[in-house]
């Protein structure tokens, strides 16, 4: 409507301009139309200016919010002494980005980055990601062949992980045959022999699939077994394959870069406050270790990847050089705490009155 009004104004203006060139006075109709067009143009320009003013005000507020909430020298949160060298820091970052790109299936982008950054990545490092993405692409296209072939070839190792991946892939193929209707009934019954190795662990699911055959001629989508045709099963099989394959290949389900980025978003405000306190109190030597932060930062259960034990005596986290030791009485302390509590060749538990030989303490692994 706005464009039509402007077009009408332009045409009217052309008529008026042509009349002016010929020296003829404007008629009353043209004068009225001209005044209406001028009024419409003025209102349109005023509306555009008002809308632009509102948009400009919102955009300027966004810019001010960014300047207010982000530190321009954010790199100063971490001391340079934490890193071995600037070149080492850059190489670690490049490698993390390349691994993330491989894990996300952006293989061509990763190759281009390796070429431009002169980063040498071994084929052994690429191979697991290439295989993983090839199978996932097939699953997204609802092609079970590559995934089934991979699961059968790694059957023993998957069983050691208590994985149900192979059974779920066979179940998915069986369901696809059921979706084909009565014409696929004999083929589905023949394929059911693949369930035999999983009968003990997945008896209930196998019974459900066998029961669905009764409704095959009536239409599975209108039966009590219609949930078998739900497309959510494909998302589930992709998730199961990714989790089990990554575990088998020694890869993390989420890329280290994405986990580090998410953790950094949580930790950064706290670290910025600590930096301000350190500078204010002039105690720059507080944070000098490369493998730990000056304070504990809670990242949530999602970022817990291993068990952590802190010595209740020394209030320190145990490590390979200072492991947790289980005493005869059942209490656990660190080795450093045990050595400090030895008196006259005997050790008295700090939590109970039992005396014991320090040599009887056993190292435990969580």
């Amino acid at each position: 409507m706005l464009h039509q009004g402007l077009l009408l104004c332009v045409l009217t203006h052309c008529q008026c301009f042509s009349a002016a060139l010929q020296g003829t006075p404007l008629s009353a109709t043209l004068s009225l139309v001209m005044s209406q067009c001028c009024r419409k143009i003025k209102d349109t320009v005023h509306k555009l200016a008002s809308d632009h003013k509102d948009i400009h005000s919102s955009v300027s507020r966004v810019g001010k919010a960014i300047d207010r909430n982000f530190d321009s020298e954010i790199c100063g949160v971490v001391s340079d002494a934490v890193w071995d060298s600037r070149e080492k820091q850059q190489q670690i970052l490049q490698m993390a980005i390349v691994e993330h790109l491989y894990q996300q299936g952006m293989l061509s982008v990763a190759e281009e980055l390796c070429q431009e950054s002169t980063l040498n990545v071994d084929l052994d490092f690429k191979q697991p990601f290439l295989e993983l993405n090839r199978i996932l692409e097939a699953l997204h296209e609802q092609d079970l062949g590559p995934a089934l072939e991979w699961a059968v070839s790694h059957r023993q190792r998957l069983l050691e992980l208590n994985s149900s991946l192979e059974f779920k892939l066979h179940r998915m193929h069986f369901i696809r045959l059921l979706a084909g209707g009565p014409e696929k009934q004999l083929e589905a019954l023949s394929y059911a022999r693949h369930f035999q190795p999983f009968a003990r662990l997945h008896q209930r699911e196998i019974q459900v699939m066998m029961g669905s055959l009764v409704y095959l001629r009536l239409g599975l989508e209108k039966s009590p077994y219609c949930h078998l045709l739900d497309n959510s099963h494909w998302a589930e099989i992709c998730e199961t394959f990714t989790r089990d394959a990554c575990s088998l290949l020694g890869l993390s389900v989420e890329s280290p870069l994405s986990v580090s980025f998410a953790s950094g978003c949580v930790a950064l405000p706290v670290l910025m406050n600590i930096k301000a306190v350190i500078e204010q109190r002039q105690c720059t030597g507080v944070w000098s270790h490369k493998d730990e932060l000056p304070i504990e930062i809670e990242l949530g259960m999602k970022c817990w990847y291993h068990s952590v034990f802190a010595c209740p005596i020394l209030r320190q986290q145990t490590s390979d050089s200072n492991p947790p030791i289980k005493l005869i009485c059942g209490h656990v302390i660190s080795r450093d705490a045990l050595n400090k509590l030895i008196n006259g060749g005997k050790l008295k538990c700090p939590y109970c009155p039992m005396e014991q030989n320090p040599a009887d303490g056993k190292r435990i692994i969580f």
Side-chain angles (χ1 to χ4, degrees):
M1 184 64 70
L2 178 62
H3 293 294
Q4 293 176 353
L6 289 175
L7 181 61
L8 177 63
C9 291
V10 171
L11 292 175
T12 305
H13 179 71
C14 290
Q15 292 176 358
C16 295
F17 185 68
S18 176
L21 288 177
Q22 295 175 3
T24 57
L26 295 174
S27 64
T29 303
L30 283 177
S31 298
L32 179 61
V33 172
M34 187 64 180
S35 61
Q36 290 176 348
C37 289
C38 291
R39 193 179 307 112
K40 285 184 178 181
I41 292 173
K42 184 178 179 180
D43 293 342
T44 302
V45 171
H46 178 73
K47 184 177 184 304
L48 290 173
S50 177
D51 292 344
H52 179 267
K53 183 178 179 181
D54 294 339
I55 295 172
H56 179 74
S57 176
S58 301
V59 171
S60 64
R61 285 199 296 269
V62 171
K64 291 176 182 177
I66 292 174
D67 294 338
R68 185 171 60 253
N69 290 282
F70 285 86
D71 191 343
S72 58
E73 296 182 358
I74 200 168
C75 295
V77 172
V78 180
S79 173
D80 290 336
V82 172
W83 303 97
D84 295 329
S85 64
R86 182 66 64 177
E87 292 76 16
K88 184 71 173 177
Q89 177 182 355
Q90 185 176 0
Q91 186 178 6
I92 292 173
L93 181 59
Q94 288 174 350
M95 197 64 192
I97 295 174
V98 168
E99 183 177 349
H100 175 79
L101 293 173
Y102 275 126
Q103 192 152 357
Q104 296 300 314
M106 294 182 280
L107 309 179
S108 59
V109 181
E111 292 292 339
E112 188 68 25
L113 177 59
C114 291
Q115 184 177 352
E116 293 185 4
S117 63
T118 66
L119 189 66
N120 186 19
V121 179
D122 296 333
L123 182 61
D124 293 339
F125 176 81
K126 301 178 187 178
Q127 192 58 39
F129 296 107
L130 297 175
E131 186 177 23
L132 190 66
N133 282 287
R134 176 181 65 83
I135 298 173
L136 278 174
E137 285 178 7
L139 286 176
H140 288 312
E141 295 174 2
Q142 298 190 358
D143 180 8
L144 294 167
L148 269 170
E149 183 181 350
W150 184 90
V152 171
S153 62
H154 295 83
R155 176 178 295 169
Q156 188 57 42
R157 296 180 63 189
L158 287 171
L159 290 175
E160 293 173 359
L161 293 174
N162 294 323
S163 170
S164 59
L165 175 62
E166 186 180 353
F167 168 73
K168 289 184 177 181
L169 289 169
H170 285 305
R171 182 184 65 178
M172 202 69 214
H173 186 78
F174 184 83
I175 291 173
R176 292 193 71 182
L177 293 174
L178 292 180
E183 294 80 8
K184 294 287 185 178
Q185 183 174 2
L186 292 178
E187 188 178 349
L189 285 170
S190 176
Y191 192 83
R193 60 186 174 80
H194 290 90
F195 297 138
Q196 191 273 331
F198 312 101
R200 184 174 60 86
L201 294 176
H202 301 279
Q203 181 180 356
R204 177 59 182 167
E205 291 103 315
I206 295 172
Q207 288 174 344
V208 169
M209 286 185 288
M210 293 298 102
S212 65
L213 290 169
V214 177
Y215 293 88
L216 203 56
R217 294 188 180 278
L218 299 176
L220 206 61
E221 63 279 357
K222 299 177 182 178
S223 73
Y225 298 92
C226 60
H227 64 277
L228 294 175
L229 303 177
D230 197 334
N231 282 330
S232 63
H233 292 304
W234 285 102
E236 180 189 352
I237 204 71
C238 289
E239 183 181 348
T240 302
F241 172 78
T242 302
R243 183 185 66 249
D244 293 349
C246 286
S247 179
L248 201 66
L249 297 172
L251 304 173
S252 58
V253 177
E254 296 183 74
S255 74
L257 182 64
S258 61
V259 174
S260 300
F261 180 81
S263 302
C265 291
V266 176
L268 191 57
V270 182
L271 294 177
M272 292 174 67
N273 291 336
I274 288 297
K275 176 197 171 190
V277 172
I278 290 175
E279 291 177 349
Q280 183 179 7
R281 299 186 180 180
Q282 298 181 353
C283 48
T284 55
V286 172
W287 189 2
S288 58
H289 297 285
K290 297 180 181 180
D291 57 350
E292 65 179 25
L293 297 174
I295 60 169
E296 183 176 354
I297 298 177
E298 180 62 44
L299 297 177
M301 290 292 295
K302 188 178 180 180
C303 292
W304 286 19
Y305 296 101
H306 55 83
S307 300
V308 175
F309 176 77
C311 176
I313 305 301
L314 299 181
R315 305 290 182 182
Q316 293 178 348
Q317 184 175 320
T318 54
S319 61
D320 291 338
S321 58
N322 180 31
I325 303 295
K326 177 178 174 294
L327 305 179
I328 295 177
C329 55
H331 294 110
V332 181
I333 60 177
S334 66
R335 177 177 289 171
D336 288 349
L338 183 145
N339 294 333
K340 290 179 181 294
L341 292 171
I342 296 175
N343 186 8
K346 291 290 184 180
L347 170 68
K348 184 176 180 180
C349 177
Y351 289 98
C352 64
M354 180 180 290
E355 280 195 0
Q356 50 200 291
N357 187 346
D360 292 335
K362 294 184 178 180
R363 177 178 177 175
I364 57 176
I365 299 175
F366 291 98

